[in-house]
C-alpha cells in the first residue's frame, strides 16, 4: 500500500503519509513515511485515503443481530426479556445463522475483532421480583458450538466468553462445561482468528458469592480473563453494588478482570478497580439507548484505569457503527463535564482500537498497525462523500467520517468488505436465513411477526407486478 495517510495508533507515533507492506501470513512486514521500498505483488494506491486499524469491540453479543428495534422504550431488564423471549424459539442451527449474520455485520462496519458473549446453553430470564436469573431453557452443547462455528466461518477475530451457569449445572458440571466449550472454541476456530476464551462474568445476576469464587478459580485454572456486566443499570443498584465485594473476596480483581459498563459504581469500587489494575469496557451507544446512565470515563482515566470500548448487543446499538459509538461517548463525556478537552478524538479512537486490544490481552496481535501484527485495516475516503479539508487527522477521522466514508475492510491483508457489504460467500444466505428463522422463532413463541423482512419481500416477489393506469 502506498500514498496512505496512516493513523497507526501505535503509541508515540503521529499520523504520516506513507506505505505499509503485508506478508503472506497476513501480518504487517513493514510500515513507514514517504516512498516505499521496492514492492512486489499487489499494490494498493491509497492516495487521498485514511488507513487506520480495524475497530476492536471489547464487548459484544453477536447472536443478537436480528433483534434490533425491540423494546424501544424499555430499560435493560425488560429489553433483555423481549430479546430472550424470541430466542426461546431458536435451536442450534438458528443460532449459527444469527451469529454469522452478526459477525458479517461487524466486518462490513469495520470491526475486525470482537469479544463475544456467546449465548450459552442455559437461557435465563430475569425475575424483577427476586432480582435473580431464572433458567427458562437448557440447550444441548450444539446451541453454543454452532455459534463458535459461525464465528470461525466468518473471518472475524473473536475472543469467546463462556458463562459457567453454575446455578443450573452445579460447580462440577459448570467446570466440566467450561472446559469442554473452551476446548471446542480453540479447536473449531482458525488459529489466527482465535483471540482466546474468557469467563462470562455473571455475578450481577447470581444468588450466591459461590459464583464469584468459581469464576475466580476458572480464571486461574485456565489463565484467562473475566468480563462481568456490572452496575449497568440503576435498577436495584444497592444489591448490585454489594456484589462487587464477592469478586474482591474471591480474589478475582486484577489485570484479567474486566467490568463491562460500570455505569453506577461507588467511590470504593472505583478505588478498588484502580488499585487492582482491573479494566472497564465502555458501551456508550448501548448505555444511551437503554437509558442505563452515564459512565464517567474521564474520571476512570484520571485514576489510571484502562478503558476499552464495545458495540454491545447489535439489538441495543441497533446500528453497529463504531464511528457513532465513539462520537456518542465523546459528546456525552464532554457535556457531562462541560469541558470539550476532557476527552479528545485520539482518546476515543485509541480506546476502540489499541485500548480494547490491551484490555483483552491481545495487543501483540491487533489494535494498531505495527510490524508483526495482523494487517487488519480500514480504507476510509474523507472525500466520498466530501468532508472538506482535513485539518487534523484524528479529529477529521473521528468527528467527520463515518460508515458512509468506509470503502474497504481488510483482515490479514485480505479484503473482507467493500462499501459496507461483506464479500463473504454466505452473506446473502446469512441475511435470508436470519430473517426467516427469526420470524419463525417469534411465531413459535406466539409473538408478533416482523413488520418487514427480507423473507416477506421474497415471499411476495414471485408474482406479476401490478400496473396501474
Amino acid at each position: 500500500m502506498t500514498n496512505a495517510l496512516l493513523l497507526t495508533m501505535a503509541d508515540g507515533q503521529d499520523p504520516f503519509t506513507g506505505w505499509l507492506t503485508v506478508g503472506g501470513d497476513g501480518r504487517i512486514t513493514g510500515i513507514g513515511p514517504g516512498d516505499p521500498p521496492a514492492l512486489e505483488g499487489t499494490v494498493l494506491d491509497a492516495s487521498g485515503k485514511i488507513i487506520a486499524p480495524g475497530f476492536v469491540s471489547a464487548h459484544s453479543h453477536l447472536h443478537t443481530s436480528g433483534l434490533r428495534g425491540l423494546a424501544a422504550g424499555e430499560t435493560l431488564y425488560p429489553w433483555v426479556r423481549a430479546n430472550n423471549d424470541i430466542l426461546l424459539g431458536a435451536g442450534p442451527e438458528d443460532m449459527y445463522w444469527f451469529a454469522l449474520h452478526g459477525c458479517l455485520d461487524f466486518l462490513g462496519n469495520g470491526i475486525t475483532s470482537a469479544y463475544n458473549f456467546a449465548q450459552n446453553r442455559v437461557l435465563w430470564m430475569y425475575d424483577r421480583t427476586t432480582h435473580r436469573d431464572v433458567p427458562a431453557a437448557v440447550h444441548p452443547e450444539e446451541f453454543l458450538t454452532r455459534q463458535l462455528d459461525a464465528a470461525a466461518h466468518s473471518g472475524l477475530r473473536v475472543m469467546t466468553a463462556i458463562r459457567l451457569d453454575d446455578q443450573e449445572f452445579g460447580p462440577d458440571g459448570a467446570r466440566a462445561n467450561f472446559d469442554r466449550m473452551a476446548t471446542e472454541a480453540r479447536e473449531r476456530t482458525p488459529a489466527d482468528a482465535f483471540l482466546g476464551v474468557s469467563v462470562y462474568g455473571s455475578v450481577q445476576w447470581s444468588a450466591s458469592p459461590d459464583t464469584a469464587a468459581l469464576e475466580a478459580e476458572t480464571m486461574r485454572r485456565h489463565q484467562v480473563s473475566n468480563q462481568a456486566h456490572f452496575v449497568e443499570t440503576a435498577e436495584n443498584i444497592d444489591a448490585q453494588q454489594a456484589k462487587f465485594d464477592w469478586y474482591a473476596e474471591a480474589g478475582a480483581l486484577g489485570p484479567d478482570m474486566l467490568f463491562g459498563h460500570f455505569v453506577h459504581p461507588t467511590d470504593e469500587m472505583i478505588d478498588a478497580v484502580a488499585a487492582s489494575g482491573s479494566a472497564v469496557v465502555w458501551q456508550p451507544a448501548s448505555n444511551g439507548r437503554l437509558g442505563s446512565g452515564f459512565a464517567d470515563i474521564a474520571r476512570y482515566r484520571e485514576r489510571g484505569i484502562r478503558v476499552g470500548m464495545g458495540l454491545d448487543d447489535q439489538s441495543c446499538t441497533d446500528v453497529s457503527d463504531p464511528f457513532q459509538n465513539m462520537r456518542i461517548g465523546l459528546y456525552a463525556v464532554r457535556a457531562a463535564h462541560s469541558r470539550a478537552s476532557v476527552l479528545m478524538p485520539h482518546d476515543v479512537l485509541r480506546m476502540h482500537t489499541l485500548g480494547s486490544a490491551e484490555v483483552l490481552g491481545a495487543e501483540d496481535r491487533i489494535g494498531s498497525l505495527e510490524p508483526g501484527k495482523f494487517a487488519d485495516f480500514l480504507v476510509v475516503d474523507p472525500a466520498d462523500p466530501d468532508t472538506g479539508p482535513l485539518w487534523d487527522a484524528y479529529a477529521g477521522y473521528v468527528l467527520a467520517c463515518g460508515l458512509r466514508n468506509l470503502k474497504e475492510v481488510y483482515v490479514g491483508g485480505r479484503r473482507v468488505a467493500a462499501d459496507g457489504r461483506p464479500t463473504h460467500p454466505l452473506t446473502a444466505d446469512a441475511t435470508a436465513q436470519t430473517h426467516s428463522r427469526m420470524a419463525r422463532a417469534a411465531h413459535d413463541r406466539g409473538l408478533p411477526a416482523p413488520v418487514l423482512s427480507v423473507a416477506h419481500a421474497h415471499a411476495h416477489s414471485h408474482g406479476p407486478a401490478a400496473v396501474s393506469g
Side-chain angles (χ1 to χ4, degrees):
M1 177 195 305
T2 61
N3 304 315
L5 176 58
L6 285 151
L7 279 57
T8 69
M9 301 315 295
D11 286 337
Q13 188 167 68
D14 293 330
F16 60 85
T17 300
W19 54 274
L20 177 149
T21 54
V22 181
D25 61 355
R27 293 178 182 263
I28 298 169
T29 55
I31 189 169
D35 295 328
L39 299 176
E40 298 179 357
T42 303
V43 178
L44 171 65
D45 183 354
S47 297
K49 311 294 195 304
I50 299 171
I51 306 299
F55 288 99
V56 180
S57 177
H59 183 116
S60 322
H61 300 253
L62 292 167
H63 63 280
T64 66
S65 188
L67 296 167
R68 304 172 208 231
L70 286 176
E74 298 287 0
T75 51
L76 177 67
Y77 294 129
W79 167 83
V80 169
R81 194 173 190 90
N83 279 254
N84 285 353
D85 207 3
I86 293 176
L87 291 179
L88 282 170
E93 289 308 301
D94 300 317
M95 297 305 292
Y96 171 85
W97 290 106
F98 299 166
L100 182 61
H101 188 273
C103 290
L104 297 180
D105 179 65
F106 263 30
L107 289 168
N109 289 350
I111 306 149
T112 54
S113 296
Y115 181 105
N116 180 37
F117 293 94
Q119 175 55 60
N120 291 284
R121 294 176 53 199
V122 183
L123 195 63
W124 300 87
M125 298 292 270
Y126 184 73
D127 186 325
R128 298 182 75 178
T129 302
T130 64
H131 305 293
R132 295 175 183 174
D133 272 350
V134 177
V138 181
H139 293 281
E141 291 183 356
E142 288 76 17
F143 196 77
L144 174 53
T145 58
R146 289 300 282 153
Q147 296 172 64
L148 302 177
D149 290 339
H153 296 163
S154 72
L156 184 72
R157 303 194 200 280
V158 174
M159 178 176 287
T160 301
I162 301 166
R163 184 165 168 168
L164 290 171
D165 288 330
D166 55 298
Q167 294 184 94
E168 176 63 24
F169 296 140
D172 290 341
R175 290 185 187 98
N177 181 71
F178 189 95
D179 293 352
R180 287 195 304 273
M181 295 301 98
T183 298
E184 292 287 349
R186 184 175 293 104
E187 292 181 349
R188 290 170 184 257
T189 309
D192 284 353
F194 180 70
L195 296 179
V197 296
S198 180
V199 175
Y200 184 148
S202 60
V203 164
Q204 180 158 318
W205 311 292
S206 155
S208 164
D210 292 346
T211 297
L214 189 59
E215 288 182 11
E217 174 202 306
T218 304
M219 293 168 66
R220 292 189 292 268
R221 187 160 53 90
H222 283 269
Q223 294 294 294
V224 297
S225 64
N226 180 352
Q227 184 171 172
H229 296 69
F230 219 80
V231 290
E232 177 180 355
T233 178
E235 183 174 339
N236 195 35
I237 189 60
D238 291 342
Q240 291 185 58
Q241 292 169 343
K243 291 180 180 181
F244 182 85
D245 289 341
W246 294 0
Y247 274 131
E249 292 163 3
L253 302 187
D256 291 330
M257 188 71 213
L258 286 60
F259 289 98
H261 299 288
F262 214 55
V263 176
H264 301 282
T266 64
D267 291 343
E268 292 75 18
M269 290 165 63
I270 295 171
D271 291 342
V273 167
S276 65
S278 302
V280 169
V281 185
W282 183 30
Q283 286 67 246
S286 165
N287 295 159
R289 203 277 213 183
L290 296 174
S292 296
F294 167 76
D296 195 350
I297 297 303
R299 182 183 181 190
Y300 303 162
R301 282 165 48 83
E302 289 172 357
R303 296 297 306 277
I305 296 173
R306 296 171 298 135
V307 179
M309 292 184 75
L311 273 299
D312 207 1
D313 295 69
Q314 282 146 302
S315 54
C316 66
T317 52
D318 300 290
V319 182
S320 51
D321 179 350
F323 292 95
Q324 170 182 271
N325 203 38
M326 290 190 295
R327 284 194 286 266
I328 287 174
L330 180 70
Y331 298 162
V333 172
R334 288 181 170 192
H337 286 267
S338 299
R339 181 160 56 95
S341 63
V342 72
L343 199 64
M344 296 296 289
H346 175 272
D347 298 331
V348 289
L349 180 56
R350 191 188 188 284
M351 280 189 270
H352 225 332
T353 54
L354 184 58
S356 287
E358 287 173 344
V359 302
L360 300 184
E363 70 274 17
D364 59 328
R365 291 164 284 170
I366 60 173
S368 61
L369 303 179
E370 302 179 71
K373 292 192 178 185
F374 290 121
D376 301 346
F377 60 87
L378 313 182
V379 180
V380 173
D381 187 351
D384 185 18
D386 185 47
T387 61
L390 191 68
W391 301 102
D392 176 287
Y394 294 123
Y397 187 73
V398 172
L399 302 180
C401 291
L403 293 183
R404 62 183 189 162
N405 302 98
L406 177 61
K407 302 307 174 187
E408 295 178 302
V409 180
Y410 287 78
V411 174
R414 181 176 61 88
R415 192 175 74 165
V416 298
D419 295 319
R421 299 179 184 276
T423 59
H424 196 287
L426 290 178
T427 298
D429 289 337
T431 296
Q433 292 281 356
T434 295
H435 281 252
S436 62
R437 289 171 180 270
M438 278 287 180
R440 180 200 47 76
H443 177 271
D444 289 353
R445 293 286 297 156
L447 299 169
V451 296
L452 181 67
S453 76
V454 169
H456 291 162
H458 285 175
H460 294 286
S461 65
H462 301 297
V467 179
S468 61

